[in-house]
């Protein structure tokens, strides 16, 4: 079960990154155009995939042998590797999910098309930066040996 969830979490990472990036670009383009039905579909799909990622990630957090080992070893907060996996990755991604949720929710309440897309643009961009910082890329110490997938 762990391997299946981990693979799904890894694959959806790229889907999410692409969706958020396309959503940000779409908001820039649509900011000055008249509103239409497709206006927030990309933002909604990004929101759904982000929440799916959070649920899968939380499931992994509670069944991961790595997390169990790091928690049993102690010194979680004093060393960067265990702190990243036990605290920083999870908290950073939850903050990014909250930002995406707030951006989407606040955009729905706006009257002008410009204001709607401004909220999506700002909140999704900040969330994207946080996500990029919290992914255990293979070139970082915390992702060394994990590969791109």
């Amino acid at each position: 079960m762990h391997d299946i969830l981990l693979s799904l979490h890894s694959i959806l990472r790229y889907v999410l990154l692409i969706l958020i990036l396309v959503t940000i670009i779409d908001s820039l383009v649509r900011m000055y155009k008249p509103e239409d039905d497709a206006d927030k579909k990309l933002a909604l799909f990004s929101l759904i995939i982000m929440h799916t990622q959070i649920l899968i990630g939380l499931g992994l957090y509670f069944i991961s042998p790595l997390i169990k080992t790091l928690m049993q070893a102690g010194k979680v907060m004093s060393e960067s590797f265990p702190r990243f996996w036990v605290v920083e990755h999870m908290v950073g991604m939850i903050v990014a999910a909250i930002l995406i949720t707030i951006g989407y929710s606040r955009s729905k309440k706006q009257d002008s098309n410009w204001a709607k897309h401004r909220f999506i643009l700002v909140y999704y961009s900040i969330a994207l930066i946080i996500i990029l910082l919290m992914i255990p890329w293979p070139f970082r110490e915390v992702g060394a040996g994990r590969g791109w997938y």
Side-chain angles (χ1 to χ4, degrees), residues 7-126:
S7 294
L8 184 60
H9 195 60
S10 295
I11 291 168
L12 283 179
R13 155 187 28 182
Y14 295 110
V15 172
L16 178 64
L17 289 174
I18 291 167
L19 265 175
I20 291 175
L21 192 59
V22 170
T23 301
I24 291 168
I25 293 167
D26 182 65
S27 286
L28 281 169
V29 170
R30 291 181 185 266
M31 197 176 275
Y32 298 103
K33 291 186 175 186
E35 189 173 353
D36 62 3
D37 290 338
D39 250 7
K40 289 187 283 186
K41 286 187 181 175
L42 274 172
L44 177 62
F45 291 143
S46 298
L47 175 82
I48 291 168
I49 296 296
M50 184 68 199
H51 285 198
T52 303
Q53 275 289 78
I54 289 294
L55 290 175
I56 293 169
L58 286 172
L60 280 168
Y61 185 81
F62 291 108
I63 66 169
S64 172
L66 174 65
I67 299 297
K68 288 177 185 174
T69 303
L70 293 173
M71 294 285 271
Q72 289 171 351
K75 297 184 182 179
V76 170
M77 295 306 285
S78 63
E79 297 176 18
S80 63
F81 184 82
R83 184 179 58 239
F84 176 83
W85 285 108
V86 175
V87 179
E88 293 172 4
H89 180 70
M90 179 183 58
V91 170
M93 294 304 184
I94 289 173
V95 168
I98 290 169
L99 287 170
I100 286 174
T101 305
I102 291 171
Y104 183 78
S105 298
R106 290 191 71 187
S107 74
K108 288 184 354 182
K109 297 175 184 173
Q110 302 305 310
D111 293 331
S112 73
N113 200 36
W114 182 84
K116 288 178 184 184
H117 288 290
R118 185 187 61 169
F119 276 108
I120 290 173
L121 177 68
V122 169
Y123 282 89
Y124 280 53
S125 296
I126 296 169

